[in-house]
Amino acid sequence: MENEDHRSLGRRLRLFDTVPIIGAGLPIWLPDGAVIRGELERMAAEIAERTGCVRVHTPVLAKRALFEQSGHWNKFAEDMFPAMKVGDDELVLRPANCPSHVQVYAAEAHSWRDLPVRLIESASMFRSELSGVLGGLSRVRQISLDDAHVFCAEDQVVDEVVQALDAITDAYGVLGITVDHYRLSGRGPGSGADQDWDASEADLRAALDRRGIPFEYVPGEGAFYGPKIDVQVRDSAGREETLSTVQVDRVLPERFGLSYIGVDGAKHRPVMIHRGLLSSMERLVALLIEQYQGGSRPGSPPCRSRSCPSIHAGMRMPRSWSARVWLRPASAFGSSTGAPSDLALLARMLFRRRMSASSAIARPPPGTWL
């Protein structure tokens, strides 16, 4: 049987919808879909915390000048919403979160002892996509991204990239996502000195080599500020897409004059790492809806009660997930009539894989896990 597209399946399961009066590319998350999205956001937050990230919050609006300085306006102006004139200012809905995180780093003085500084935010960014390319959750105008940025010294870059790759592997193991291949996307049209791009590419290669990960090199597909590792997956129709990315950036720290005081007492420029652990919530949920087709795998018995020993047996997962997902009454995931639906199985299957005990990521404190 051919797999059902997430757009029809998600609506049939009452996970999300789009309504004309709100607009195309602006889906609303219905209560059952919000359960799944909420658990994924909590999962991403827990992994980010274990990898040393601290949470920040930044506005979705900023002056146009911020994005002119970062280079986003020059690169993406046609894909951004028009600037809004407010008094003497021109405010813009952000197309990316990184310029705001640069300002968080710049708000305080830093020394070598502070590094790496790891910032995480579950934030919205906006793209003015044309109506003809919008569809379901996979192409939207408001993107909800689990976005981390790391500011570190030159000799810390490879370790930070390796940690990001390990976090992605850990998360994919929980969700049952299979990586098709890794791609090292090299320099295309962009800014920055050649030696900086070469150094960033060398850092990414070193991290992939340390983990023994084979990769495909694709010139010209990097971000405008640096090369990146793209984690490529395939959807239920076999189409290839990028889910997670790790990017090394020596351009934005230069553009914004970022610095820290080194051991020698002199100013040094930090390196910035952009880390997208789970991609956008919209793209991730679209992939998972199609992957699990709203049901369980063959041989997995349904669970219709408050507790399900067959699920808990032999598993080690965060206690918070257990309380919110596994112990939730099946009717909480069910239809409006209160009858259990395939959504209960979908939510169950999203989290049935346990974290790998051999993961290089530091385990949480005792008592956190079942």
Side-chain angles (χ1 to χ4, degrees), residues 70-71 187-194 196-197 223-226 250-252 255:
S70 70
R187 183 170 190 170
S191 57
D194 288 343
D196 288 339
W197 278 79
F224 72 89
Y225 45 73
R250 288 173 166 86
V251 171
L252 291 190
R255 287 191 168 190

Side-chain angles (χ1 to χ4, degrees), residues 135-199:
L137 296 177
S138 57
R139 293 293 295 269
V140 294
R141 286 174 168 152
Q142 178 175 324
I143 302 165
S144 307
L145 193 64
D146 167 60
D147 213 5
H149 294 95
V150 179
F151 301 86
C152 63
E154 291 280 351
D155 61 357
Q156 297 172 326
V157 175
V158 175
D159 288 341
E160 289 299 312
V161 174
V162 168
Q163 179 172 251
L165 292 173
D166 289 342
I168 290 168
T169 300
D170 219 9
Y172 283 21
V174 171
L175 299 173
I177 296 173
T178 300
V179 175
D180 186 75
H181 65 279
Y182 289 80
R183 187 175 73 187
L184 177 54
S185 298
R187 183 170 190 170
S191 57
D194 288 343
Q195 62 266 28
D196 288 339
W197 278 79
D198 292 342

Side-chain angles (χ1 to χ4, degrees), residues 94-123:
R94 61 184 174 194
N97 304 318
C98 38
S100 297
H101 287 189
V102 166
Q103 298 308 307
V104 173
Y105 177 87
E108 298 179 282
H110 298 280
S111 81
W112 62 273
R113 295 184 181 87
D114 302 322
L115 303 186
V117 173
R118 306 181 185 98
L119 308 177
I120 182 73
E121 181 174 12
S122 181

Side-chain angles (χ1 to χ4, degrees), residues 147-367:
D147 213 5
H149 294 95
V150 179
F151 301 86
C152 63
E154 291 280 351
D155 61 357
Q156 297 172 326
V157 175
V158 175
D159 288 341
E160 289 299 312
V161 174
V162 168
Q163 179 172 251
L165 292 173
D166 289 342
I168 290 168
T169 300
D170 219 9
Y172 283 21
V174 171
L175 299 173
I177 296 173
T178 300
V179 175
D180 186 75
H181 65 279
Y182 289 80
R183 187 175 73 187
L184 177 54
S185 298
R187 183 170 190 170
S191 57
D194 288 343
Q195 62 266 28
D196 288 339
W197 278 79
D198 292 342
S200 297
E201 225 175 83
D203 289 333
L204 294 174
R205 287 179 182 272
L208 289 164
D209 289 343
R210 185 184 296 182
R211 282 293 176 257
I213 298 174
F215 61 90
E216 173 190 5
Y217 180 72
V218 183
E221 290 297 317
F224 72 89
Y225 45 73
K228 58 194 177 93
I229 295 171
D230 293 320
V231 185
Q232 302 299 107
V233 300
R234 293 193 181 273
D235 63 16
S236 61
R239 295 180 296 257
E240 180 184 329
E241 62 177 318
T242 300
L243 195 60
S244 304
T245 65
V246 185
Q247 308 165 12
V248 175
D249 174 7
R250 288 173 166 86
V251 171
L252 291 190
E254 176 74 26
R255 287 191 168 190
F256 285 97
L258 301 184
S259 65
Y260 69 92
I261 303 300
V263 180
D264 58 1
K267 283 188 175 183
H268 296 266
R269 186 84 65 213
V271 180
M272 185 175 180
I273 298 171
H274 307 242
R275 189 182 91 178
L277 173 61
L278 291 179
S279 182
S280 72
M281 288 297 109
E282 291 82 7
R283 180 174 292 184
L284 177 61
V285 172
L287 178 76
L288 293 173
I289 288 172
E290 293 185 359
Q291 176 171 314
Y292 290 111
Q293 288 293 296
S296 62
R297 293 179 179 175
S300 298
C303 178
R304 304 297 196 195
S305 60
R306 275 192 74 85
S307 61
C308 188
S310 65
I311 295 175
H312 286 288
M315 300 194 68
R316 294 171 57 79
M317 60 178 55
R319 190 177 299 277
S320 58
W321 299 353
S322 180
R324 289 192 295 264
V325 179
W326 306 110
L327 300 183
R328 189 183 296 273
S331 59
F333 297 107
S335 66
S336 59
T337 64
S341 75
D342 285 345
L343 181 58
L345 299 178
L346 173 60
R348 184 181 116 206
M349 293 305 296
L350 294 185
F351 303 99
R352 75 186 295 265
R353 296 251 182 136
R354 64 178 174 175
M355 290 280 193
S356 170
S358 61
S359 170
I361 297 177
R363 311 315 297 175

